[in-house]
Every structure is written in C-alpha cells, then in structure tokens.
Amino acid sequence: MSVDQGQGPRPIDQCRDVQDVLDQIRLRPSMWVRQECLRDLQNILIGYATALSVHGVDEPFALSPGGPFAEWLRARRGWSMSYGWADAIERHADGEDPLTVFFRLLDEYRSACGSEP
C-alpha cells in the first residue's frame, strides 16, 4: 500500500512496524538505500528481522530472503529465489527502477495475501 499523499516524512522512532519503515523508505529512497540498490534494502530488512528476533518482538515479518514474500514471487512469477527476492527483482526489472518494481510487487503481495510484510 502506498503512503498517503498527505503524509510526509517522520522520524524513524515514530514508526510502529516494518510497514511504517517501508513507507518512510518509499518517501525518500535515496536517503535510506545507497544508489537505490535493492540488495541494500534487503540487508536493512534482514537487520530489522534480526532485531525483532533478538529482542523477542512478535511482529509478522514476510520479507526475509526466503520468507513468504519470496515464496509468493517464486510462485507468481516463476523466479528463482536462490539469491533472495532483491536479486530476483533486480534481474527482472527490465530497465525499470528496481525499488519502484519492489514497492509495486510488495503492494500486490499485500493485496493478494491480505498481510503486512
């Protein structure tokens, strides 16, 4: 789901969950992701998932490299997930900005699965 157009950037400590963090990244991707490399975003999200685990936070998280989002992409698009969803999206972006493709696919995943990332 895209960020409400009236909502602007806010401090990270005001984010409630990974979706809020992704909304902030969507608003200003170059601030978060060096050269807008999707693999860097995947690494940020791996760190997020690690922090959830270390601190015992019970938050649904579908964006690990082999997690539900990757499985959905594999089933829906037939893409190999050998190197994770970021690599698969970058390889199949067909000249489109991979971050744009990621957010579009994430919106489709959320609509199809009715779940948060």
Side-chain angles (χ1 to χ4, degrees):
M1 208 138 308
S2 65
V3 176
D4 178 12
Q5 296 301 326
Q7 183 181 356
R10 61 181 195 227
I12 192 70
D13 64 354
Q14 292 180 9
C15 293
R16 296 167 299 157
D17 57 20
V18 71
Q19 185 57 49
D20 280 356
V21 172
L22 287 168
D23 287 345
Q24 295 307 305
I25 294 171
R26 190 187 304 233
L27 282 171
R28 298 185 298 183
S30 61
M31 182 180 134
W32 293 89
V33 184
R34 182 186 47 172
Q35 298 176 350
E36 299 191 16
C37 175
L38 197 52
R39 290 181 204 154
D40 289 345
L41 175 58
Q42 181 174 268
N43 288 334
I44 289 169
L45 293 171
I46 289 169
Y48 187 95
T50 301
L52 291 175
S53 179
V54 165
H55 295 286
V57 176
D58 184 25
E59 178 183 321
F61 189 82
L63 296 170
S64 58
F69 177 66
E71 286 304 309
W72 177 82
L73 280 175
R74 184 191 54 72
R76 183 167 174 96
R77 302 290 175 124
W79 297 345
S80 169
M81 292 294 129
S82 298
Y83 296 105
W85 53 259
D87 180 74
I89 292 170
E90 286 179 347
R91 283 186 287 112
H92 294 92
D94 295 327
E96 190 175 356
D97 172 51
L99 277 174
T100 300
V101 175
F102 165 75
F103 282 114
R104 184 176 62 247
L105 290 168
L106 182 62
D107 291 343
E108 287 177 28
Y109 169 76
R110 291 181 67 222
S111 291
C113 299
S115 66
E116 295 294 316

